[in-house]
């Protein structure tokens, strides 16, 4: 398996059930990843957090985000709008308003996702390295 680039470490948030647990770094909640969706203008993207639906439904809606000075901010997503997969798959997505210059965040561009078209074009199948 190829090594994951270090910059991708900043694309993974941890979601906690509460601000107090986020402050303590409790071993509760779950992880996710940041996705950037380009909005048509250079450098302008909609930042979203993606996690499992069961994590959100279990009440983990507080994100701990690292800052450039190696500290962290705690951001509640209690009022966030979560979108779930229409077929019931265990995935949840929410647009968020983090300041990517104040927070140490790297989003994964949505253009990097494997699509059905790419699967067919490159004949991707079970057991292939992707």
């Amino acid at each position: 398996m190829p090594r994951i680039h270090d910059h991708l470490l900043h694309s993974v948030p941890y979601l906690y059930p509460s601000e107090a647990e986020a402050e303590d770094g409790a071993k509760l909640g779950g992880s996710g990843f940041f996705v950037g969706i380009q909005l048509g203008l250079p450098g302008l993207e909609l930042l979203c957090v993606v996690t499992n639906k069961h994590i959100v439904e279990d009440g983990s809606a507080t994100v701990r985000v690292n800052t450039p000075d190696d500290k962290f901010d705690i951001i509640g997503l209690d009022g966030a709008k979560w979108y779930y997969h229409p077929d019931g798959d265990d995935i949840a997505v929410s647009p968020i308003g983090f300041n990517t210059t104040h927070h140490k965040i790297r989003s994964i561009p949505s253009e990097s996702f494997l699509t059905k078209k790419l699967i067919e074009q490159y004949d991707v199948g079970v057991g292939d390295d992707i």
Side-chain angles (χ1 to χ4, degrees):
M1 172 181 277
R3 186 174 190 283
I4 295 171
H5 293 281
D6 289 341
H7 73 268
L8 290 175
L9 295 174
H10 302 298
S11 67
V12 180
Y14 201 85
L15 289 84
Y16 294 88
S18 72
E19 288 189 24
E21 289 156 329
E23 185 77 39
D24 292 341
K27 305 243 185 269
L28 300 167
S31 62
F33 60 96
F34 295 114
V35 172
I37 300 170
Q38 293 302 314
L39 296 177
L41 298 173
L44 184 61
E45 69 178 10
L46 174 63
L47 186 64
C48 297
V49 64
V50 179
T51 189
N52 295 104
K53 181 180 178 183
H54 73 268
I55 298 296
V56 176
E57 288 179 335
D58 288 347
S60 294
T62 302
V63 177
R64 182 169 147 162
V65 183
N66 293 328
T67 58
D69 59 359
D70 292 326
K71 295 181 182 176
F72 58 86
D73 284 337
I74 297 170
I75 300 168
L77 297 177
D78 293 333
K81 174 63 178 161
W82 289 94
Y83 296 89
Y84 304 113
H85 195 281
D87 295 335
D89 294 337
D90 189 21
I91 192 162
V93 179
S94 179
I96 53 176
F98 294 164
N99 182 342
T100 56
T101 58
H102 180 69
H103 297 107
K104 206 185 275 188
I105 293 175
R106 285 288 291 258
S107 64
I108 298 170
S110 59
E111 295 82 20
S112 297
F113 292 171
L114 185 63
T115 64
K116 287 181 183 183
K117 181 179 178 181
L118 288 173
I119 289 171
E120 291 173 10
Q121 179 179 347
Y122 293 104
D123 193 29
V124 176
V126 176
D128 287 341
D129 285 335
I130 56 169

